[in-house]
Amino acid sequence: MSHLDRFEADPVDLSEFEDDFTRTASPAARESHRDQIPDGPYDARVEDVTLSRVQSTGNPMLIWRLRILGPTHRGASISKVRIITHKTVDFLKEDLSKLGLEMGSLKEMTSRLDEMVDRPIGIIKKVRPDKGWTDVYFVKPRPELAAQVIPPEIPQDDDLPF
């Protein structure tokens, strides 16, 4: 029996994932895009928040997708990941506080993820070549940003790809 025979008996249709696969940048492209944003402080807006699990360990993690507002690299996207363990719960609570989200219990988080979206946040990006990764730290947003919820940007006609 060849390795192809065992797949013919039980075919798997992956066509529903084709559009997602096509839209997803290659790992090399994602890495080079992340490295285009130099280390430093930025104003950002939370664009999306996902509660997921680390594939290798099963630990829960929060992934924030952030859109940079400035002072440079406006419009660029960067992610912050917070893996949740007994050792990192304090850091998670600090991250949530910097986003202006206070909770009495961690059980509330799943029902309050949407509250983090569109919130302004200051970030500091730092590449850790010794560790082989990039850290993104939350810092309190500047007062003029913190006073507002920033709506998602609506592309202008000149920005549309068609």
Side-chain angles (χ1 to χ4, degrees), residues 3-16:
H3 69 279
L4 293 176
D5 293 335
R6 63 180 178 202
F7 291 112
E8 291 174 12
D10 190 20
V12 177
D13 181 10
L14 299 176
S15 61
E16 70 178 286

Side-chain angles (χ1 to χ4, degrees), residues 21-87:
F21 186 82
T22 304
R23 277 194 311 267
T24 301
S26 69
R30 284 195 308 262
E31 185 68 29
S32 67
H33 177 71
R34 181 173 60 225
D35 290 341
Q36 290 175 359
I37 302 169
D39 287 3
Y42 297 93
D43 294 326
R45 174 180 59 84
V46 177
E47 194 167 78
D48 187 44
V49 183
T50 306
L51 180 60
S52 186
R53 290 198 175 273
V54 177
Q55 189 173 6
S56 60
T57 65
N59 287 333
M61 66 178 169
L62 268 180
I63 304 167
W64 289 276
R65 190 175 63 221
L66 308 164
R67 186 68 55 187
I68 294 179
L69 303 173
T72 62
H73 296 80
R74 181 176 176 82
S77 178
I78 191 167
S79 294
K80 174 183 174 52
V81 176
R82 171 64 67 206
I83 298 172
I84 305 169
T85 67
H86 293 287
K87 293 180 180 181

